[in-house]
């Protein structure tokens, strides 16, 4: 398989564990083990204390699959496959559903694996670009124009990485309709679902709307548990799920036993876990509003509608890569320049899911004052 390096992951590999403050993370402040265990109900505490560290069921722990299925009304435990993070699920989907005869349409800028793994599987990929000047809005006509007779997958991600853009219900319905008409799979990356900034912006999972759609979820973002490496696909097409499951036999085979139980613990306390994440985001986002209002003319952003990230534009006559490099060297604060997305704009990803965001932002402001 010929696959290009994952630019964002390579960038993080260089900086994530050396930079003092991450001002570009897409996850939410992670739980500590003790804090999570305190959420256990009697059943999950019993499962944890009596846990055997053997292999687990390939499709996922039955209780975990049932808990995930309950997030998608109309779906059952057998409509869910558990993976090692969303990343493994993207890989398995592409390997199972796409090959040399296929064409995929992917909305970009994107989390690189959403297009890269499809390409590596042999598919031809067409992109539909979201644009800052259009408020990062998705235009369904652009999607329709990108379709071909051999299009077999449409790949979207809302709330969106890196912009925090979101779609409305009518647009989601439109995507489902387009996929059904094209007889294509709709891979809907919903890893930031439930982190919509206006709760009314919550959409159904795409898998609820059509058997052609797959909803991709993960414990890493909204549920603040990236270290568990637990993700899933929910889909009513069991024949397709069977083919995807067969790929997993060649990757991780099954999930980590402790992680499955810890994920179950968290999902059983869905309201509390999501409220914790939203509280962090809700406290941080107004600080960014103030920052961008103050620095108008230097930074410009389309306010995100979901997720814990945004993709501001840097208007100074300095390349964002140079600014980001100097910022991490001098202040220990990490930004993610648009180049890691292969995006030509002078943009950067900013993250606001961490509790230390105010300090990171204060340091960036001090740096900007000294330099710009
Ligand atoms: C849109 C999107 N999809 C998938 C993933 C992969 O998630 P995980 O690292 O938890 O597997 C990420 C991670 O940043 C993401 O932003």
């Amino acid at each position: 398989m010929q696959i290009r390096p994952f630019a964002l992951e390579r960038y993080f590999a260089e900086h994530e564990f050396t930079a003092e403050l991450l001002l570009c993370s897409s996850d939410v402040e992670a739980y500590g083990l003790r804090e999570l265990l305190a959420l256990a109900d009697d059943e999950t505490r019993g499962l944890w204390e009596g846990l055997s560290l053997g292999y687990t069921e390939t499709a996922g722990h039955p209780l975990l699959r049932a808990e995930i299925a309950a997030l998608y009304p109309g779906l059952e435990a057998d409509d869910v496959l558990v993976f090692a993070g969303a990343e493994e699920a993207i890989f398995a989907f592409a390997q199972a559903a796409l090959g040399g005869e296929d064409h995929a349409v992917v909305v970009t800028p994107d989390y690189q694996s959403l297009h890269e793994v499809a390409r590596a599987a042999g598919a031809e990929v067409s992109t539909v670009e979201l644009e800052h000047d259009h408020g990062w809005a998705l235009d369904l006509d652009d999607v329709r124009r990108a379709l071909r007779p051999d299009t077999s997958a449409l790949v979207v991600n809302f709330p969106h990485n890196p912009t925090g853009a979101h779609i409305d219900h009518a647009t989601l319905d439109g995507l489902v309709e387009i996929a059904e008409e094209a007889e294509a799979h709709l891979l809907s990356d919903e890893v930031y679902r439930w982190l919509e900034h206006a709760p009314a912006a919550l959409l159904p999972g795409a898998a609820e709307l059509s058997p052609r759609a797959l909803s991709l979820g993960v414990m890493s973002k909204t549920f603040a548990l990236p270290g568990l490496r637990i993700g899933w696909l929910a889909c009513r097409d069991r024949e397709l799920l069977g083919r995807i499951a067969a790929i997993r036999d060649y990757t991780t085979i099954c999930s980590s036993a402790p992680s499955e139980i810890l994920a179950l613990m968290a999902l059983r306390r869905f309201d509390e876990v999501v409220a914790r994440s939203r509280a962090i985001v809700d406290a941080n986002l107004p600080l960014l509003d103030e920052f961008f209002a103050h620095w108008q003319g230097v930074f410009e952003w389309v306010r995100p509608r979901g997720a814990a990230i945004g993709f501001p534009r840097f208007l100074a006559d300095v390349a964002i890569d140079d600014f980001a490099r100097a910022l991490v060297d001098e202040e220990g604060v990490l930004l993610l320049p648009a180049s890691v997305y292969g995006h030509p704009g002078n943009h950067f990803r900013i993250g606001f899911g961490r509790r230390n965001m105010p300090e990171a932002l204060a340091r960036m402001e001090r740096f900007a004052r000294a330099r710009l």
Side-chain angles (χ1 to χ4, degrees):
M1 179 196 272
Q2 297 283 331
I3 193 158
R4 281 178 276 207
F6 198 142
L8 178 147
E9 297 300 342
R10 289 299 93 219
Y11 185 85
F12 272 128
E14 189 183 344
H15 297 291
E16 186 174 2
F17 295 96
T18 50
E20 220 182 312
L21 297 171
L22 305 180
L23 189 52
C24 56
S25 304
S26 61
D27 54 10
V28 173
E29 185 84 21
Y31 272 91
L33 181 61
R34 200 170 306 162
E35 188 187 0
L36 179 59
L37 290 175
L39 297 181
D41 60 21
D42 288 347
E43 187 179 25
T44 52
R45 188 172 309 105
L47 289 168
W48 178 250
E49 285 169 1
L51 189 65
S52 149
L53 296 175
Y55 283 107
T56 61
E57 290 189 38
T58 296
H61 193 294
L63 290 177
L64 179 59
R65 293 171 81 198
E67 204 66 38
I68 294 167
L71 301 172
Y72 306 93
L75 273 72
E76 298 170 5
D78 284 346
D79 299 321
V80 171
L81 284 180
V82 177
F83 289 93
E87 184 72 322
E88 187 190 30
I90 294 168
F91 185 86
F93 165 78
Q95 291 298 316
L98 297 171
E101 311 285 292
D102 295 298
H103 172 247
V105 174
V106 183
V107 173
T108 54
D110 65 339
Y111 185 68
Q112 188 176 337
S113 55
L114 291 174
H115 68 264
E116 198 69 53
V117 184
R119 243 182 223 142
E124 259 192 74
V125 173
S126 300
T127 57
V128 170
E129 280 288 323
L130 303 181
E131 288 175 27
H132 177 116
D133 293 337
H134 296 150
W136 304 118
L138 178 67
D139 184 339
L140 288 179
D141 286 335
D142 290 345
V143 177
R144 282 191 198 95
R145 271 192 291 274
L147 293 178
R148 300 191 332 203
D150 57 347
T151 303
S152 43
L154 174 54
V155 181
V156 301
N157 158 227
F158 294 101
H160 180 245
N161 177 359
T163 64
H166 197 29
I167 51 175
D168 59 17
H169 207 313
T171 307
L172 178 60
D173 286 343
L175 286 168
V176 167
E177 198 181 301
I178 290 170
E180 284 183 344
E181 273 171 20
E183 296 183 12
H185 301 297
L186 174 63
L187 177 63
S188 177
D189 180 331
E190 300 164 1
V191 301
Y192 300 102
R193 193 164 172 233
W194 299 289
L195 264 191
E196 301 76 16
H197 303 149
L202 175 68
L203 298 175
E208 294 167 47
L209 303 180
S210 168
R212 290 226 150 257
L214 303 96
S215 286
L216 173 66
V218 83
M219 297 306 295
S220 309
K221 314 293 182 184
T222 309
F223 303 107
L225 291 163
L228 296 188
R229 310 308 302 129
I230 293 284
W232 60 84
L233 283 172
C235 176
R236 284 183 276 153
D237 179 346
R238 295 208 185 150
E239 187 276 327
L240 174 64
L241 277 193
R243 284 191 284 131
I244 297 173
I247 300 296
R248 203 192 188 195
D249 294 339
Y250 289 100
T251 53
T252 60
I253 302 176
C254 64
S255 294
S256 140
S259 290
E260 287 197 319
I261 302 308
L262 295 171
L264 180 62
M265 255 173 219
L267 288 178
R268 290 236 172 124
R269 301 294 285 270
F270 178 94
D271 288 344
E272 253 171 277
V273 171
V274 172
R276 173 188 177 279
S277 294
R278 294 181 90 99
I280 295 169
V281 165
D282 289 349
N284 284 340
L285 195 48
L287 302 180
L288 289 178
D289 287 333
E290 268 172 44
F291 177 89
F292 289 118
H294 179 79
W295 286 91
Q296 249 174 8
V298 178
F299 300 99
E300 176 188 41
W301 87 332
V302 177
R303 195 178 198 267
R305 297 181 58 220
I309 43 181
F311 203 48
R313 188 188 256 160
F314 185 39
L315 301 168
D317 197 17
V318 178
I320 189 62
D321 294 77
D322 296 339
F323 182 84
R325 169 65 65 183
L327 180 65
V328 73
D329 286 348
E330 291 178 31
E331 291 282 359
V333 171
L334 191 69
L335 293 178
L336 196 59
S339 52
V340 304
Y341 284 89
H343 188 276
N346 213 30
H347 290 72
F348 60 98
R349 188 173 90 181
I350 194 160
F352 44 93
R354 299 289 177 93
R355 289 200 171 110
N356 60 15
M357 193 221 72
E359 188 192 343
L361 188 64
R363 287 199 203 179
M364 175 160 131
E365 179 140 37
R366 179 170 69 194
F367 180 77
R369 250 192 254 115
R371 290 302 191 92
L372 301 173

